[in-house]
Amino acid sequence: MLGFSTRTSGDLVADRRYAYGDAAFGERDFSAARDLFEQTLELVPHWPPARFALAKALIELGEPDAARAALAAVIAADPADSLGAGLLIARLDGGEPVAAAMPDAYVAGLFDDYAPRFDAHLVEALGYRAPALIAAMIANHTPNAALRDALDLGCGTGLMARALEGQGISFAGCDLSARMLEIAHRTGLYARLARAPLLDFLRAEPPASVDLVIAADVFCYVPDLAPVFAETARVLRPGGAFAFSAQRMKADDPAGAGVVIGADARVHHAPRRIRDWAASAGLAVIAEDHASTRLDRGQPMPGALFLLAKP
Ligand SMILES: C[S@@+](CC[C@H](N)C(=O)[O-])C[C@H]1O[C@@H](n2cnc3c(N)ncnc32)[C@H](O)[C@@H]1O
């Protein structure tokens, strides 16, 4: 299934055609899915979900040029790209991921939909443990640090603040998803929460104002970390720490960009590229662990955990 059956075009007949197409796609009958999405578009030609679904069927049918044209039409109709059409184009082109491939509206939509079941699904079904591993890394490597203020980038439902609860840290968090933020707010653990892209959030913080910056399972939505590292270095006090997880590239290409968008529609980073960004921002690598932070289709997902420090 494409997962968009709950969307409505405003035309009941078109919605039914679309739902049949979605079911056919789920059964891997991509020819039938294409026909049904085309029939949907005859009724509602300007409805982006149907054109996006048609593009996905065309990809499965081995028609990349037609898929690319359909995806371009989706972006023309929805410039915020809330469906992530740019992401599919980037994958079709097999090229460098561009920032536009992970539009804010797409990530916000993804997590607004996911928010109500996020904690149960991720923690219980997928064994998510990035917050626990990050908390352990901080405790092991900065045992005597006085951590007063922390920024939680992409705080989601607040699992990171929960993992560090009781240590007297004052948290400020940001996230793109309003629904994730509502749940974080209910934890009562955040002094401040902002609905904002993490780079904008960092840029609005005063220099040398926090002891800790955290990003748990967030950089898999942020291809270019150079400006994030530079802004983090700016907001940290001397001696402050930057702790985060990343999804690790399965096979590093030493001469390549060290950043790819995987078939799982997430950004994978090469640890060497992360170390380069750290060095450019003037941050020292205190710890680097290669560990899985959750399951992906039953297998441990390759992950990396980093603890950087501002000298
Ligand atoms: C997998 S969740 C992790 C949430 C939380 N850090 C945790 O460990 O439970 C990723 C979160 O990052 C947020 N996110 C992704 N890209 C973002 C960006 N550029 N700016 C702010 N938040 C972002 C998403 O909305 C989502 O809530």
Side-chain angles (χ1 to χ4, degrees):
M1 296 274 193
L2 295 165
F4 296 134
S5 297
T6 51
R7 295 175 197 249
T8 176
S9 65
D11 177 318
L12 285 177
V13 178
D15 285 356
R16 203 169 309 130
R17 288 263 179 287
Y18 177 80
Y20 290 149
D22 195 15
F25 190 98
E27 286 160 14
R28 303 190 63 77
D29 186 349
F30 301 119
S31 294
R34 173 180 49 195
D35 291 348
L36 286 155
F37 294 138
E38 281 173 349
Q39 289 170 27
T40 309
L41 284 165
E42 282 167 20
L43 296 167
V44 284
H46 303 298
W47 189 45
R51 203 161 296 282
F52 182 75
L54 174 63
K56 292 195 79 163
L58 290 166
I59 291 171
E60 297 292 346
L61 290 165
E63 295 184 38
D65 292 341
R68 226 178 256 112
L71 291 166
V74 169
I75 294 174
D78 170 24
D81 193 14
S82 55
L83 298 172
L87 190 61
L88 282 190
I89 292 175
R91 274 179 48 208
L92 275 175
D93 292 345
E96 299 264 313
V98 287
M102 278 290 173
D104 292 348
Y106 162 70
V107 176
L110 201 66
F111 283 96
D112 278 346
D113 287 349
Y114 195 17
R117 59 195 178 91
F118 179 84
D119 288 7
H121 182 247
L122 195 64
V123 178
E124 285 157 33
L126 301 182
Y128 178 60
R129 57 192 190 125
L133 292 176
I134 287 175
M137 192 169 63
I138 293 169
N140 290 340
H141 294 280
T142 60
N144 302 318
L147 301 174
R148 289 162 291 167
D149 313 281
L151 302 180
D152 187 1
L153 308 178
C155 62
T157 58
L159 294 179
M160 201 59 247
R162 271 185 257 172
L164 292 168
E165 195 176 354
Q167 299 185 28
I169 305 172
S170 173
F171 288 95
C174 74
D175 204 282
L176 288 170
S177 160
R179 291 211 179 133
M180 296 291 270
L181 284 167
E182 276 165 27
I183 300 172
H185 178 71
R186 287 204 291 272
T187 65
L189 296 174
Y190 290 86
R192 277 187 294 138
L193 285 168
R195 185 177 169 194
L198 59 90
L199 192 54
D200 293 359
F201 178 73
L202 278 169
R203 283 183 174 140
E205 295 294 313
S209 54
V210 296
D211 306 303
L212 181 63
V213 176
I214 318 164
D217 205 28
V218 179
F219 291 158
C220 48
Y221 302 99
V222 185
D224 180 10
L225 296 176
V228 178
F229 281 33
E231 284 301 315
T232 296
R234 187 185 64 78
V235 302
L236 280 174
R237 296 187 179 113
F242 180 25
F244 58 89
S245 63
Q247 188 161 338
R248 195 158 39 87
M249 272 173 71
K250 281 195 178 117
D252 190 7
D253 164 11
V259 187
V260 292
I261 292 181
D264 58 357
R266 291 159 60 102
V267 180
H268 308 181
H269 290 103
R272 65 165 170 87
R273 191 74 203 271
I274 290 175
R275 289 192 291 273
D276 288 348
W277 279 318
S280 301
L283 296 167
V285 178
I286 303 298
E288 174 180 341
D289 286 338
H290 293 184
S292 176
T293 56
R294 68 174 180 88
L295 298 176
D296 181 24
R297 279 159 291 172
Q299 299 300 316
M301 185 198 79
L305 297 154
F306 279 86
L307 183 70
L308 311 182
K310 178 169 170 172

